[in-house]
Amino acid sequence: MTDLRVAITPDSFKGTATAIEVTTALAEGWLSVRPGDTLIRMPLADGGEGTLDAFELAVPGARRMPVTVSGPDGRQVEASWILLPDNSGVVELAVTSGITLLHPLQPMEAHTLGFGQAIAAAIDSGVDRLYLALGGSSSTDGGVGALTALGAEFADAEGRPVPPGGRGLGAVASIDTTHLRAVPAGGATILSDVTNPLLGPNGAATVFGPQKGAAAEQVAELDAGLRRLAALLGTDPETPGAGAAGGTGYGLIAWGAVMASGAEAVGEVMHAPDAVASATVVITGEGRFDGQSDAGKVPSYVRALAEAAGATPLLVAGAITAEPTGFAAAVSLTELAGSADAAMTDTVHWLREAGARLARTV
């Protein structure tokens, strides 16, 4: 049996296993069948939860920088951002203002102030460039919380600061950016797999508001508030990705950040093309492979790298609901475990089984 060089490059399985846990379990399963193979472990992300973990593991010399911020409901959160060796900073919304920090959900009150505080901490430390990961948001505040932490002032018609969260958007009458921190000299790149505009039927409130707990009448109120914000800020609300993270994408674009495909941007920083090019076989995956997976998510990005390098791409997913075109083999944990509940109850176990099954296919 010829020994192979295998790159393992999955995203997280949202809610059940981090990208690092997925990578480790797949590696253990693979090595149980093919112990002589050389494995390259490179968990990836597309800007969602686990982006910091992926950078920390994949980039030698990456350092965690602790920061205490105001969480999405105002309670203090002990978080961190990543300082890369090239003096870039990576800040993840999920760990500062994310939906997993709330119970119960607060669709009208939750805000992104803590995300902005972490961005400000990175800027104040002297980073040359920022990567801003937008997945896992809890709020629909148009990024007003983040911009407030960066120095912008949002006031109502009486000149009073508007309350934080989506509810406050309806009262915004003026915006003062006199003291707004500048984008670092090397720029700020938004990492997101979302291409939705800010407003309307495909916008932040309508598409993502219900996931954050918003009822129908609240969705309408949030969309109206975002429309009011857009009229004052003036940046085009139709910009692809403006609707990311409850409109935080829009606020950051107005600040001067640039939207990028999350998986591709993360992969470039981590040198994923080089890792894949050096491999014979590439394993990638995500929690759910569906009709949206070809829209810039990790599996489609890795598959394209493998095709360009002449490597064999393999897929693992918690559930597969779309044809996994282009992959030499694919394993669904739901089918492997017999049910979605079983797969989600012991995801790491079934990932090991999936790794072993894929190893038998080559």
Side-chain angles (χ1 to χ4, degrees):
M1 183 169 63
T2 302
D3 290 344
L4 300 175
R5 189 171 172 87
V6 183
I8 304 179
T9 61
D11 198 350
S12 64
F13 281 38
K14 189 174 182 180
T16 59
T18 67
I20 293 173
E21 291 170 335
V22 175
T23 302
T24 300
L26 289 174
E28 291 171 351
W30 185 279
L31 290 175
S32 71
V33 175
R34 297 182 58 92
D37 289 349
T38 299
L39 303 189
I40 306 165
R41 306 181 192 210
M42 182 173 283
L44 292 176
D46 56 16
E49 295 172 55
T51 297
L52 291 190
D53 294 337
F55 272 98
E56 184 178 33
L57 185 68
V59 181
R63 293 166 51 202
R64 286 263 179 181
M65 308 296 288
V67 61
T68 301
V69 302
S70 176
D73 58 357
R75 292 179 295 176
Q76 281 196 343
V77 171
E78 300 300 324
S80 60
W81 55 279
I82 293 286
L83 178 63
L84 299 178
D86 67 355
N87 204 38
S88 295
V90 186
V91 188
E92 181 181 324
L93 186 147
V95 302
T96 57
S97 308
I99 196 167
T100 59
L101 300 173
L102 284 183
H103 185 74
L105 300 178
Q106 299 183 22
M108 304 304 292
E109 292 78 24
H111 55 75
T112 56
L113 184 67
F115 183 48
Q117 290 170 337
I119 295 171
I123 292 173
D124 291 347
S125 78
V127 297
D128 296 323
R129 182 179 182 84
L130 283 169
Y131 296 98
L132 306 173
L134 292 196
S137 166
S138 63
S139 63
T140 309
D141 76 346
V144 165
L147 294 178
T148 297
L150 290 168
E153 297 177 8
F154 295 82
D156 63 17
E158 304 300 321
R160 298 168 301 197
V162 298
R167 194 183 306 279
L169 293 177
V172 178
S174 65
I175 304 171
D176 184 352
T177 59
T178 304
H179 303 294
L180 182 64
R181 283 174 173 81
V183 172
T189 300
I190 300 167
L191 308 177
S192 174
D193 65 352
V194 170
T195 58
N196 299 66
L198 181 67
L199 307 171
N202 295 314
T206 305
V207 175
F208 304 113
Q211 300 171 10
K212 308 175 200 298
E217 63 275 11
Q218 292 173 321
V219 166
E221 181 180 345
L222 290 167
D223 189 63
L226 292 171
R227 193 172 299 277
R228 184 182 185 93
L229 177 67
L232 290 167
L233 278 178
T235 299
D236 185 0
E238 291 296 314
T239 304
T248 302
Y250 179 81
L252 294 175
I253 292 168
W255 178 48
V258 176
M259 185 68 64
S261 165
E264 184 174 351
V266 171
E268 289 296 326
V269 175
M270 294 182 178
H271 303 291
D274 295 338
V276 171
S278 72
T280 315
V281 174
V282 184
I283 306 173
T284 189
E286 63 181 344
R288 183 179 183 85
F289 186 88
D290 56 23
Q292 299 299 312
S293 294
D294 276 335
K297 293 184 179 290
V298 167
S300 62
Y301 167 67
V302 172
R303 181 187 60 204
L305 293 180
E307 290 171 349
T312 301
L314 307 176
L315 174 70
V316 179
I320 298 176
T321 60
E323 183 65 30
T325 306
F327 292 97
V331 175
S332 160
L333 300 192
T334 297
E335 293 183 7
L336 197 60
S339 71
D341 285 344
M344 295 179 72
T345 298
D346 197 355
T347 303
V348 170
H349 166 75
W350 293 110
L351 283 165
R352 291 193 194 100
E353 292 295 313
R357 175 173 288 194
L358 287 176
R360 297 187 187 102
T361 70
V362 297

